[in-house]
Amino acid sequence: MAELPTNCTSDVWQSLGCLKHVTNITLTGSLPDLPDSWAANESFPVLEVMNFSTSSLAGSLPPAWASTTAFPDLKVLDFSSTQLSGTLPVTWGQPAVFGALAELHLAQVSITGVLPSEWGDVPGAFPSLSTLDISGSSLTGTLPSWSHAGSFPALQYLTLGGSITGSLPDAWGHNGSFPALKFLTITNTSLSGRLPDAWGSPTAFQELLSMTIDNSSLTASLPTTWLAAESFPILQQLALTDLNPDAVTTSDLRSEAVNESGNISSTAQRLPGPFCGSQGPSGVLPCGTWPQLRYLDIVNCSTVGSIPVSLSDSFPALETLDLSSNQITGAIPTSWPPGLLSLDLSGNQMTGSMPSSWPPGLEILYLSSNQITGSMPSSWPPGLLSLHLDNNNLTGTLPAGLSREGNSSLVQLFLHNNQLTGPLPPTWTFRDLNYFTVLNNNLTGTIPAEWAQPDAMPMLTYLYIGVNRLTGTLPPLPPQLQSLITGANQLTGTLPSQWPSQLVSAQLGVNRHNGSLPAALASLPHLQMLMLTENMLTGQIPEGWSAPGAFPELFSLQCRENLLSGLLPDSWGSQSAFQLLQILDLSGNDLSGVLPDSWGSQGAFPALQSLTLEDTAVAGVIPESWTSEDGFPQLQALSLDYTYLNGSVPSFHNPQLEFLSLGGCAFTSDLHALWNSTAPLSVISIANNPLSGTLPDLPLALTTLSFLDASNNSLQGTVPLSWLRAGSFLSHVSYLNVGKTWVKSLSEESWRQQLCLNQEFYSPDVTGLQIAQLPSVLRSLLAQQLGDQRGKNVFTDDVSFKQRFSQSENANYFASFLQHGHNQLIAVPSICANSGQVRVTGLPLDSLD
């Protein structure tokens, strides 16, 4: 080891301060606290960059680093995404400390406390700082005024975030504050109040190019001072997103503007923006213009009103306008800034039809989720890349000439959830179209085979044409297709034998396809989802689908409600088959035979999470391999309802199994084995079986259960008293049904269980004294069960009777009703019965703990 300088120690971390010629320190991995010794006299005389952003640096920022000789040439100090804690050292804002520092990055750290006022109020603090990023921090308190005329003289980029409260400081708009600031971003804070009037001062933010304020409780209304001709003279981007919606009301948005005669006029401002509009019943917006503004975003601010027609006069240089997710009404203007490239008006309440002309250079147009009517124009700007017209009320047909009118550059075309009619145009040719969706319309006709031609739609990747009334067969598909939805149409015929090699998802359900399952599907190397539900497919389940190399990426296979027959293939339990499959649904077919033991063998279906075989003719017992700790290691839901499975209900030990449904089968055992399950079962449905025996008196079993339906069986005996004790079975069950008509939601009071544990009330000869001893909530239940045996004078409709019966404590009062010849306790036995023949009996109320 070389001899260290005299001021160095053998501790490597401490001794980094001896590297007097190093200019850049970038450290990774887990690091200890920052040493105070690094600030020793002339430790880093030429160091320019200190970067810890890729490390796990912990500890706090050392106040001792506030030395005028510690880091004389340090320009970049980056602590982003480290594990720093503590507070920001006040001493770092002393004059001449970090005099050369140009960038200070503290984003996404756990530093707490306040942003020191001394950092901006002391003359000479951070004289060279151009970038300050404290976004995503845990800072609290209010923003400092930083009102000194020379605050941050070189600061160009300021990004703030965290739990900062209070309002935006007026002082930041005073003369001389932030003289060089170009980019201001304030995001994810707890700030509130209005945007400061002072920020619109003619001497404030003269160099500001971009202002972004989002996700806070600040109001979205722009002060009128911001709209003066001298304000923000070179501002190019303004983004106000997810601000306080309560602020944008008619009363809050009144502001004064100068009219043509020079007088002050008060107008009901409806849009929080610097738009000009003529007076009218819906109110107008204060006049103002930002000639340099290129990007304007006012998103999710509950903005109301209509868009003024003079928008192009207010923002002649505007390139991007995003007013999405507001409450804007009225028609779409016909005049826009000539250089507009991107327009997003989605998620509003705009009405009327679409204009016939748009800015010639428009590339992105989002009009989704409005109330636009009329037909779809055939002519659009020649360079349009993305057109979103979905979730409106458009009618008419798809323009056959859309691709011939200079729109061949389209990449995205969204038309779903409208009322479009007519056919899919076979003449469409879009060389760049990647995404086309026209789901949920009223289209008819066939799917054009021409679309698969090499020069038609060679780049089409997503084709969503489901939920229409299309007919015919499924033709050859575009060669680059990755995702296909044709479900919920009226398609017929067999499925193709050839498919696009890049296909990832095919959803073809709810049609009338027939024939067998194509073997070619198994050879698709990227197929992840195959949905063939509710068709008329026949034949057996292909054993070849489990061959080595078949479906290498498939995670969902759904073939329910078809006419498939035969056995469940043993080969599907091979350790090489379906290695990524998570969802398998073969229910509602004519499948028969037994459950293959191989399916539950170790290594089979290693990723399967949901298995549904309900409503099939599968018979026999549940194999032991299916219920063992090694069987289906990831299985969370198993549904075998309405099959011919029989024998004993086993205990389940699958480590992830939460949902078990065995209703409508032929199980004849009791429930004791099931109660010994170690699987984390949350839902058990085992209704409509010929199960016998008693309800297991095992109150500490099935500790994760929240739903149990064992109704319509042949169970006998009592509802175990131990189920009701604190901390036992029913303490974590939210739904319980163990009778033919007894359904108990435990989110209500426990009167129903208490009633069923009182044997005296099962017969109509209960005495008035016994009722008088019941709590009023139980008497309310009995009042609902008293009725006229002949169907007349039903007391359940007599509110006053119910009230008197619930509130009185006079035994003779109750006896007078019980002795009435035409009244008796009815339906109480059925509440506690498990079947029409066998009654579940109980215990007296006073035996409860």
Side-chain angles (χ1 to χ4, degrees):
M1 175 176 164
E3 183 177 352
L4 291 172
T6 56
N7 67 329
C8 290
T9 69
S10 58
D11 187 293
V12 175
W13 181 242
Q14 299 282 343
S15 299
L16 284 177
C18 307
L19 305 177
K20 294 185 178 296
H21 301 290
V22 69
T23 60
N24 187 316
I25 294 178
T26 300
L27 300 174
T28 61
S30 179
L31 300 176
D33 295 357
L34 294 169
D36 290 344
S37 62
W38 285 13
N41 188 30
E42 298 181 355
S43 291
F44 292 102
V46 296
L47 183 65
E48 295 183 357
V49 177
M50 192 181 297
N51 184 5
F52 299 97
S53 62
T54 57
S55 73
S56 300
L57 179 69
S60 59
L61 298 175
W65 283 18
S67 169
T68 58
T69 60
F71 306 101
D73 288 343
L74 188 63
K75 294 180 174 59
V76 177
L77 188 54
D78 193 345
F79 298 109
S80 303
S81 303
T82 60
Q83 299 178 17
L84 284 175
S85 56
T87 60
L88 296 175
V90 173
T91 55
W92 284 23
Q94 294 175 358
V97 173
F98 299 112
L101 190 65
E103 298 182 23
L104 176 57
H105 299 273
L106 293 165
Q108 307 299 323
V109 297
S110 298
I111 289 179
T112 57
V114 300
L115 194 57
S117 60
E118 293 82 355
W119 282 22
D121 289 342
V122 177
F126 300 108
S128 305
L129 192 66
S130 64
T131 298
L132 177 58
D133 186 352
I134 317 180
S135 59
S137 69
S138 299
L139 291 173
T140 56
T142 60
L143 291 173
S145 62
W146 286 341
S147 57
H148 176 65
S151 297
F152 302 105
L155 192 63
Q156 298 183 29
Y157 300 84
L158 177 58
T159 305
L160 300 174
S163 301
I164 300 171
T165 57
S167 59
L168 293 172
D170 284 330
W172 288 16
H174 291 171
N175 185 25
S177 296
F178 305 106
L181 192 64
K182 297 183 181 297
F183 296 87
L184 174 61
T185 301
I186 303 173
T187 180
N188 296 315
T189 67
S190 298
L191 292 168
S192 58
R194 306 182 72 86
L195 301 175
D197 289 333
W199 287 22
S201 167
T203 59
F205 301 110
Q206 291 292 291
E207 299 297 319
L208 194 65
L209 297 174
S210 173
M211 183 190 303
T212 299
I213 303 175
D214 68 13
N215 199 14
S216 73
S217 296
L218 290 165
T219 66
S221 177
L222 291 180
T224 54
T225 58
W226 289 31
L227 310 174
E230 301 85 1
S231 299
F232 308 107
I234 61 173
L235 188 67
Q236 296 184 15
Q237 176 169 338
L238 175 63
L240 304 177
T241 306
D242 294 324
L243 300 185
N244 184 6
D246 296 332
V248 189
T249 62
T250 303
S251 60
D252 285 340
L253 293 177
R254 289 197 172 271
S255 80
E256 295 181 337
V258 180
N259 61 25
E260 292 181 355
S261 63
N263 298 321
I264 300 294
S265 63
S266 180
T267 56
Q269 174 177 281
R270 295 293 186 92
L271 273 170
F275 306 115
C276 290
S278 59
Q279 295 189 19
S282 64
V284 299
L285 297 155
C287 290
T289 178
W290 282 330
Q292 305 297 327
L293 195 69
R294 297 168 56 196
Y295 307 94
L296 176 59
D297 296 350
I298 301 177
V299 177
N300 195 25
C301 294
S302 294
T303 302
V304 298
S306 58
I307 300 175
V309 295
S310 58
L311 190 71
S312 57
D313 296 330
S314 297
F315 310 115
L318 199 64
E319 296 178 1
T320 297
L321 176 61
D322 188 348
L323 300 177
S324 61
S325 302
N326 285 292
Q327 299 172 26
I328 300 172
T329 56
I332 301 173
T334 57
S335 176
W336 297 96
L340 195 65
L341 300 177
S342 176
L343 175 61
D344 189 348
L345 303 177
S346 61
N348 283 288
Q349 301 170 18
M350 306 193 74
T351 55
S353 58
M354 285 178 287
S356 58
S357 62
W358 296 90
L362 193 66
E363 297 178 350
I364 297 173
L365 178 58
Y366 292 168
L367 302 177
S368 308
S369 301
N370 279 283
Q371 301 169 22
I372 301 171
T373 57
S375 59
M376 180 180 172
S378 60
S379 179
W380 297 89
L384 192 65
L385 301 176
S386 186
L387 178 59
H388 290 209
L389 305 177
D390 53 281
N391 292 285
N392 280 289
N393 298 314
L394 296 177
T395 56
T397 61
L398 297 175
L402 182 64
S403 62
R404 296 195 301 267
E405 298 292 335
N407 305 126
S408 59
S409 61
L410 269 177
V411 175
Q412 294 183 344
L413 180 56
F414 283 33
L415 302 174
H416 55 274
N417 296 334
N418 279 289
Q419 301 174 31
L420 298 169
T421 57
L424 294 169
T427 57
W428 273 9
T429 56
F430 293 101
R431 67 175 186 272
D432 297 319
L433 190 64
N434 173 266
Y435 203 128
F436 174 53
T437 169
V438 68
L439 289 163
N440 196 24
N441 279 277
N442 296 310
L443 300 178
T444 55
T446 62
I447 302 173
E450 291 86 348
W451 288 7
Q453 297 299 319
D455 57 349
M457 299 184 186
M459 304 303 294
L460 190 63
T461 303
Y462 303 91
L463 177 58
Y464 297 160
I465 53 178
V467 198
N468 281 285
R469 292 185 290 165
L470 299 173
T471 56
T473 61
L474 188 62
L477 299 168
Q480 300 299 319
L481 199 66
Q482 294 183 18
S483 185
L484 172 67
I485 298 179
T486 64
N489 277 294
Q490 301 171 21
L491 300 177
T492 56
T494 60
L495 296 176
S497 58
Q498 294 183 341
W499 298 82
S501 61
Q502 302 300 313
L503 195 64
V504 173
S505 174
Q507 301 182 45
L508 316 177
V510 197
N511 278 293
R512 301 173 184 174
H513 292 299
N514 53 35
S516 59
L517 296 173
L521 286 169
S523 62
L524 295 175
H526 305 293
L527 189 63
Q528 298 179 11
M529 175 181 288
L530 179 57
M531 184 178 293
L532 302 172
T533 59
E534 296 186 50
N535 277 287
M536 303 173 67
L537 299 171
T538 57
Q540 297 186 348
I541 298 176
E543 292 207 24
W545 279 15
S546 61
F551 293 120
E553 297 185 7
L554 191 68
F555 75 82
S556 178
L557 175 57
Q558 301 181 51
C559 299
R560 63 179 175 85
E561 302 296 334
N562 278 283
L563 302 174
L564 300 173
S565 59
L567 309 177
L568 297 175
D570 283 321
S571 61
W572 280 31
S574 167
Q575 294 188 12
S576 62
F578 302 110
Q579 291 297 290
L580 300 181
L581 192 66
Q582 299 179 21
I583 300 171
L584 177 58
D585 187 350
L586 300 174
S587 60
N589 283 285
D590 295 331
L591 302 172
S592 57
V594 298
L595 299 178
D597 184 72
S598 63
W599 285 29
S601 62
Q602 189 171 6
F605 295 105
L608 193 64
Q609 298 180 13
S610 175
L611 175 57
T612 305
L613 297 171
E614 62 187 31
D615 195 19
T616 64
V618 173
V621 300
I622 298 178
E624 184 178 350
S625 63
W626 283 45
T627 64
S628 70
E629 294 182 356
D630 297 327
F632 303 113
Q634 300 298 321
L635 191 65
Q636 299 177 20
L638 176 61
S639 181
L640 303 173
D641 298 273
Y642 297 99
T643 61
Y644 293 103
L645 293 172
N646 53 58
S648 299
V649 178
S651 56
F652 288 82
H653 305 285
N654 313 78
Q656 305 293 330
L657 187 62
E658 299 179 7
F659 178 93
L660 177 63
S661 190
L662 304 175
C665 297
F667 295 109
T668 56
S669 65
D670 58 29
L671 294 174
H672 285 71
L674 180 60
W675 248 247
N676 288 318
S677 297
T678 59
L681 290 166
S682 175
V683 174
I684 295 178
S685 177
I686 196 167
N688 301 303
N689 279 280
L691 292 170
S692 59
T694 60
L695 297 173
D697 191 0
L698 297 171
L700 300 180
L702 301 174
T703 57
T704 57
L705 193 68
S706 63
F707 181 104
L708 173 62
D709 186 355
S711 60
N712 290 323
N713 282 284
S714 297
L715 299 172
Q716 302 181 27
T718 64
V719 176
L721 180 63
S722 60
W723 285 18
L724 291 169
R725 293 194 175 99
S728 61
F729 185 71
L730 289 185
S731 64
H732 49 78
V733 173
S734 60
Y735 178 90
L736 174 66
N737 186 350
V738 293
K740 186 173 183 179
T741 58
W742 177 29
V743 177
K744 175 63 185 78
S745 172
L746 296 183
S747 59
E748 304 170 2
E749 297 184 68
S750 61
W751 51 262
R752 206 178 288 269
Q753 298 101 310
Q754 294 186 40
L755 178 65
C756 292
L757 294 176
N758 282 269
Q759 188 173 1
E760 288 89 343
F761 300 108
Y762 291 159
S763 59
D765 57 356
V766 61
T767 66
L769 178 61
Q770 288 173 312
I771 296 181
Q773 293 173 342
L774 283 175
S776 61
V777 67
L778 295 189
R779 294 201 297 271
S780 297
L781 172 68
L782 295 181
Q784 296 175 35
Q785 305 301 332
L786 286 170
D788 188 348
Q789 194 175 38
R790 298 173 302 178
K792 299 178 181 180
N793 302 319
V794 179
F795 287 108
T796 53
D797 294 329
D798 187 340
V799 177
S800 62
F801 161 72
K802 293 181 183 179
Q803 293 176 344
R804 294 196 306 272
F805 198 94
S806 302
Q807 298 170 3
S808 176
E809 296 181 0
N810 189 324
N812 293 328
Y813 177 84
F814 301 124
S816 66
F817 287 99
L818 295 172
Q819 293 167 2
H820 192 281
H822 300 302
N823 288 298
Q824 62 176 326
L825 288 175
I826 62 171
V828 176
S830 64
I831 291 176
C832 305
N834 194 268
S835 71
Q837 294 77 33
V838 181
R839 178 182 302 162
V840 177
T841 58
L843 299 170
L845 180 65
D846 57 13
S847 67
L848 287 173
D849 290 345

